[in-house]
Amino acid sequence: MNGEELRARQAPWKALYRERPEEAVRTLKAEGSLDTTYPGCRVTTEIGPVEAGLHPAAGGDGTRACPGDMLLQALVGCAGVTLTAVATALGITLRGGKIEAEGDLDFRGTLGVDKTTPVGFTAIRLRYQLDTDADEAQVAKLLELTERYCVVAQTIHKSTPLGSAAVGSDESQRVAGEN
């Protein structure tokens, strides 16, 4: 796909969203089924189920996808899709490349070993290796726009509020965090 084809595909959507902004707001969904025999969850994806489980550093056996790794994989996937779309729109030729994400996680937090240790990643880094003839300024602009328009990167960066609710079969449904 070239820049003209990409713009042609996106043009009707951009026009619709300019004319009726409410049409641009969509709710994306994910779901999973709990595994009650092993700490895990079967996550439904468009290409089949993914079995999620504990990281080996938290007691897992390594046979299931670690959700922390899945977060980094989602970041790499989103950055890759965004980067290639931006390169296409800017007319920057990419012959290939690689994106790596790594995150620092102290398992004492998630295992409750030390209550003062944060739960979750304390730092995440993205590295790009691009095979392109683009000059330094073009690559800088490409990375700037990739970061700006990457949904997963912006969500992590902005720390989007998260609400949780437990929905049971009885009348005692409650939102997590309420007493």
Side-chain angles (χ1 to χ4, degrees):
M1 179 180 301
N2 63 36
E4 187 176 306
E5 292 167 328
L6 178 61
R7 281 185 286 283
R9 291 185 99 166
Q10 292 179 338
W13 294 105
K14 288 182 175 186
L16 172 67
Y17 300 154
R18 282 186 190 100
E19 202 173 296
R20 296 197 319 254
E22 68 279 3
E23 293 289 330
V25 179
R26 306 290 175 103
T27 299
L28 306 183
K29 297 180 181 183
E31 86 176 24
S33 302
L34 300 180
D35 183 343
T36 59
T37 63
Y38 179 89
C41 182
R42 175 177 276 196
V43 180
T44 304
T45 75
E46 293 185 16
I47 60 169
V50 174
E51 299 289 337
L54 294 171
H55 188 280
D61 62 11
T63 62
R64 296 176 181 218
C66 166
D69 291 336
M70 292 168 71
L71 176 72
L72 296 176
Q73 292 158 0
L75 176 59
V76 166
C78 189
V81 168
T82 305
L83 183 134
T84 55
V86 170
T88 299
L90 294 178
I92 295 173
T93 300
L94 296 173
R95 289 182 295 276
K98 185 177 179 180
I99 301 173
E100 297 175 344
E102 61 182 22
D104 301 329
L105 180 73
D106 188 333
F107 281 90
R108 293 176 303 163
T110 193
L111 290 174
V113 171
D114 179 354
K115 303 288 187 219
T116 64
T117 301
V119 176
F121 290 104
T122 56
I124 296 175
R125 294 168 296 284
L126 275 173
R127 280 194 294 276
Y128 299 87
Q129 297 173 357
L130 303 177
D131 184 2
T132 182
D133 291 329
D135 64 33
E136 200 172 303
Q138 291 172 309
V139 170
K141 186 67 169 177
L142 177 61
L143 296 181
E144 173 194 331
L145 293 174
T146 296
E147 184 177 327
R148 180 185 306 163
Y149 296 117
C150 176
V151 171
V152 176
Q154 286 300 315
T155 300
I156 291 169
H157 181 70
K158 293 178 181 175
S159 298
T160 301
L162 173 66
S164 300
V167 180
S169 58
D170 60 14
E171 294 181 35
S172 63
Q173 299 176 8
R174 66 182 190 101
V175 175
E178 289 183 358
N179 291 327

